[in-house]
Amino acid sequence: MEARQLRPVYDALDRSDLKQALRESDRLLHKHPNHYGARALKTFVLAKSGQPGEAMALGQSLLDTPPALANHHVQQGLALAFRVLGRPSEEIAVYTAALASSPGSEPLRCKIYMAAARNRMFKEQHLAAVELTKLSKDQKYVWWLITSLLLQAKSPSDQTTGRVQVTLAERMAERALAGGQLTTLEELRIYLDVLDLQGKHDDMLRVLGADANLAAM
């Protein structure tokens, strides 16, 4: 039902017809003033149309309405709107609020991780990676966690914290290598970057010589 109601708005957006998308969202809101999906898509259209003040006001009103954030259309439209507006904290807040109704959602935590990574919000990126490693045994999340530690170590709040973070990243990467869980070129580059940050160039050569497949990569 809701998807069918919102289809004209989505169709207009697919054509990049922002004026028509705004008309369609307003038409739907005239019939259903509290239609959360229509309000979220209107927020996105306003943001894309260069009306940041109106977009922020409407978006914030949805962000302050927790039941709305359980709706997939609201999550998608509102997060995209805040991304267009250059408001990463609010984009992450959308996904965080949505977790209240889906606390075990892996996709939502992935979205938090990616939004934080795009905006160099390394602490939030790290926390999302920690939660993902708790939720899933997928090895890629271990490397996401190592990456978050590496990025924090490159921009530490202080030298001691940076050393702790890069040391932890190195230990995790070592365990992955020992367990045969370093299998891609990107993972290898991350591990070498961790070692390079510490000036451990001999260890970089050791890692490359530890396995013929790694040397080939």
Side-chain angles (χ1 to χ4, degrees), residues 31-42:
K31 294 180 180 178
H32 308 283
N34 294 318
H35 195 295
Y36 292 143
R39 289 168 65 187
L41 289 182
K42 181 175 180 179

Side-chain angles (χ1 to χ4, degrees), residues 35-108:
H35 195 295
Y36 292 143
R39 289 168 65 187
L41 289 182
K42 181 175 180 179
T43 303
F44 174 64
V45 173
L46 289 169
K48 289 283 286 183
S49 301
Q51 301 179 63
E54 292 180 51
M56 271 304 300
L58 186 55
Q60 190 62 54
S61 71
L62 277 171
L63 201 54
D64 292 338
T65 310
L69 277 302
N71 182 300
H72 168 72
H73 298 287
V74 173
Q75 294 169 22
Q76 183 180 47
L78 201 54
L80 286 173
F82 286 133
R83 191 181 305 177
V84 170
L85 292 167
R87 301 296 293 258
S89 294
E90 283 80 0
E91 180 186 352
I92 290 173
V94 171
Y95 302 131
T96 302
L99 285 170
S101 58
S102 303
S105 174
E106 189 176 325
L108 283 173

Side-chain angles (χ1 to χ4, degrees), residues 128-138 141-143 145 172:
V130 169
E131 292 301 320
L132 283 165
T133 59
K134 293 177 183 177
L135 281 173
S136 171
K137 295 186 181 300
D138 191 328
Y141 296 135
V142 172
W143 287 100
L145 181 52
M172 293 179 68

Side-chain angles (χ1 to χ4, degrees), residues 110-123:
C110 286
K111 289 176 180 177
I112 292 173
Y113 181 92
M114 293 302 181
R118 280 195 306 272
N119 294 282
R120 299 179 61 82
M121 299 170 69
F122 300 136
K123 181 179 178 181

